[in-house]
């Protein structure tokens, strides 16, 4: 279903940001909001002025940006006057209400929620994969689901070698995907478990320490797939420009603080050798090859956490496909960075 954005105006070709934009972060005190600040700093994004916006209860909080404190302001309908770039990470309902308001005030919105990802007039962008989609937009550009963003960075160089016929994906998703509160619940639950103390989960539906379970998104009773799985399928297809691509997926929440992992099987319409895949993935933007068979060293969350690059390795023939046209690999990426904040800042960089 298309989501109406400002009465769906005609796309504007090559609308750019000024060289030194006024930047607003909506949801500045959340886990992704904090990472947006870090990514703007680490990538030396040219911010003329920074406005931090959040709910009334967070107003007055001070956050550090490039060595100085910035006071968080309450988000209102008047928050976007003079703003050139609005980075949203406060949930779909906030984005639906305030995103069009920001655009009407003259800002370009990069939205990290699910609000606009499947709206035909809103580009859904991973810069390493489909940056050209930003050439025309209505003022809003959508940041993908974290799994779809990380996954497609690894798929794109292989898809240029041979057409992907089918995907099968199993994810191992960290607490960060459910926000700062889930990360804290994992810490507390683990401490309680180690001390032999009871712990009742409040953020996630099941015990989290030393446990894993089906992703906590609501399950469709007819299909058996949960909302996270449906998002990954739909968004991966859209980012790759393959609306009918067959995708099988199972999403699992694991007791890791940050960085999502995924086991991926890719069937192509022609053979792609392991060596050729290593060559392609080893030089592709946004990726780091971690594929040491002798040392049994492959992508791990502990090495991906806090890193911009998506780690890819464990590259091998998929023995489940007798045709020889399938590869299996393992991918790990920081959910808060490439899966959220970093990707948003990269989108903004492409608009300068």
């Amino acid at each position: 279903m298309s989501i109406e954005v400002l009465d769906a105006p005609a796309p504007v070709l090559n609308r750019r940001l000024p060289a030194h934009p006024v930047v607003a972060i909506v949801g500045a005190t959340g886990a992704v909001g904090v990472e947006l600040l870090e990514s703007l700093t680490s990538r030396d994004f040219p911010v003329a002025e920074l406005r931090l916006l959040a709910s009334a209860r967070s107003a007055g909080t001070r956050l550090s940006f490039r060595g100085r404190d910035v006071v968080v302001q309450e988000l209102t309908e008047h928050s976007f006057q003079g703003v050139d770039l609005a980075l949203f990470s406060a949930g779909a309902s906030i984005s639906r209400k305030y995103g069009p308001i920001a655009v009407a005030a003259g800002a370009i919105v990069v939205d990290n929620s699910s609000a606009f990802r499947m709206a035909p007039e809103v580009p859904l962008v991973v810069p390493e994969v489909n940056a050209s989609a930003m050439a025309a937009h209505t003022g809003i550009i959508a940041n993908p689901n974290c799994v779809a963003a990380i996954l497609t960075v690894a798929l794109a160089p292989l898809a240029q070698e041979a057409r992907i016929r089918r995907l099968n994906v199993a994810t191992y998703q960290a607490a960060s995907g459910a926000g700062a509160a889930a990360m804290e619940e994992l810490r507390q639950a683990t401490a309680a478990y180690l001390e032999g103390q009871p712990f009742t989960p409040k953020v996630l539906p099941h015990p989290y320490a030393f446990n894993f379970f089906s992703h906590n998104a609501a399950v469709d009773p007819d299909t058996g797939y949960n909302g996270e799985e449906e998002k990954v399928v739909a968004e991966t297809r859209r980012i790759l420009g393959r609306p009918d691509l067959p995708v099988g997926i199972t999403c699992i929440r694991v007791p890791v603080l940050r960085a999502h992992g995924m086991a991926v099987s890719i069937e192509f319409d022609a053979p792609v050798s392991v060596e050729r895949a290593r060559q392609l993935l080893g030089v592709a933007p946004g990726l780091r090859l971690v594929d040491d068979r002798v040392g049994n060293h492959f992508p791990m969350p502990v090495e991906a956490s806090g890193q911009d690059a998506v780690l890819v390795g464990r590259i091998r023939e998929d023995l489940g496909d007798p045709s020889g046209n399938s590869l299996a690999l393992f991918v790990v990426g920081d959910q808060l960075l490439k899966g959220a904040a970093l990707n948003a800042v990269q989108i903004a960089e492409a608009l300068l």
Side-chain angles (χ1 to χ4, degrees):
M1 179 183 295
S2 174
I3 298 173
E4 187 175 1
V5 180
L6 297 180
D7 297 323
V12 179
L13 289 174
N14 295 315
R15 182 181 170 193
R16 316 293 292 181
L17 290 169
H20 292 82
V22 174
V23 179
I25 297 178
V26 179
T29 58
V32 175
V34 171
E35 293 296 336
L36 282 167
L37 280 172
E38 292 296 326
S39 290
L40 290 171
T41 299
S42 66
R43 298 181 71 84
D44 199 25
F45 190 86
V47 178
E49 176 190 340
L50 180 67
R51 299 183 194 176
L52 302 182
L53 305 171
S55 65
R57 70 175 179 273
S58 296
T61 302
R62 293 178 177 270
L63 298 176
S64 179
F65 179 66
R66 294 178 180 170
R68 64 183 182 88
D69 285 348
V70 181
V71 178
V72 176
Q73 305 172 38
E74 180 181 357
L75 173 65
T76 72
E77 295 182 359
H78 306 290
S79 295
F80 301 100
Q81 295 303 316
V83 170
D84 301 303
L85 170 67
L87 302 171
F88 274 68
S89 188
S93 61
I94 295 295
S95 294
R96 290 191 188 102
K97 178 177 179 180
Y98 290 99
I101 292 172
V103 173
I108 295 177
V109 169
V110 180
D111 181 47
N112 195 55
S113 80
S114 61
F116 306 109
R117 288 175 183 160
M118 299 309 295
E121 67 274 17
V122 176
L124 180 67
V125 175
V126 177
E128 296 93 338
V129 181
N130 65 335
S132 61
M134 288 185 284
H137 61 83
T138 62
I140 297 177
I141 298 170
N143 214 31
N145 169 278
C146 48
V147 172
I150 293 166
L151 175 63
T152 55
V153 171
L155 293 177
L158 300 175
Q160 293 174 5
E161 181 76 3
R163 183 175 177 83
I164 296 174
R165 182 176 290 167
R166 182 179 183 273
L167 286 176
N168 195 54
V169 183
T171 72
Y172 309 81
Q173 295 181 229
S176 55
M183 296 172 74
E184 182 58 28
E185 180 160 290
L186 176 56
R187 293 186 186 96
Q188 293 178 3
T190 303
Y193 187 98
L194 292 173
E195 293 171 3
Q197 299 297 320
F199 184 86
T200 302
K202 298 180 177 64
V203 179
L204 292 169
H206 305 292
Y208 205 1
F210 302 95
N211 189 32
F212 58 85
F213 44 85
S214 179
H215 191 282
N216 47 292
V219 177
D220 184 320
D222 295 324
T223 67
Y225 285 85
N226 64 46
E228 179 78 353
E229 292 160 345
E230 292 170 345
K231 287 178 187 178
V232 175
V233 172
E235 295 177 32
T236 298
R237 288 170 171 170
R238 190 168 186 221
I239 295 163
L240 295 178
R242 296 286 308 282
D244 298 320
L245 178 65
V247 181
I249 187 164
T250 300
C251 291
I252 301 295
R253 186 76 74 188
V254 298
V256 171
L257 279 175
R258 57 190 288 175
H260 291 350
M262 52 201 79
V264 187
S265 175
I266 314 164
E267 180 186 351
F268 301 96
D269 65 357
V272 178
S273 71
V274 171
E275 186 54 40
R276 180 57 176 158
R278 286 175 57 89
Q279 292 172 352
L280 293 166
L281 296 169
V283 298
L287 291 174
R288 179 157 66 89
L289 189 65
V290 181
D291 197 47
D292 178 4
R293 292 183 178 182
V294 174
N296 196 8
H297 184 180
F298 303 108
M300 295 181 286
V302 71
E303 294 182 349
S305 295
Q307 302 300 309
D308 288 355
V310 171
L311 310 186
V312 60
R314 200 83 211 279
I315 304 163
R316 60 210 188 278
E317 292 183 16
D318 186 342
L319 300 181
D321 179 5
S323 74
N325 287 0
S326 296
L327 291 177
L329 47 88
F330 197 71
V331 181
V332 180
D334 190 311
Q335 180 272 330
L336 293 174
L337 290 175
K338 188 56 193 173
L342 171 64
N343 198 72
V345 173
Q346 288 175 309
I347 289 171
E349 289 172 342
L351 294 169
L352 289 171

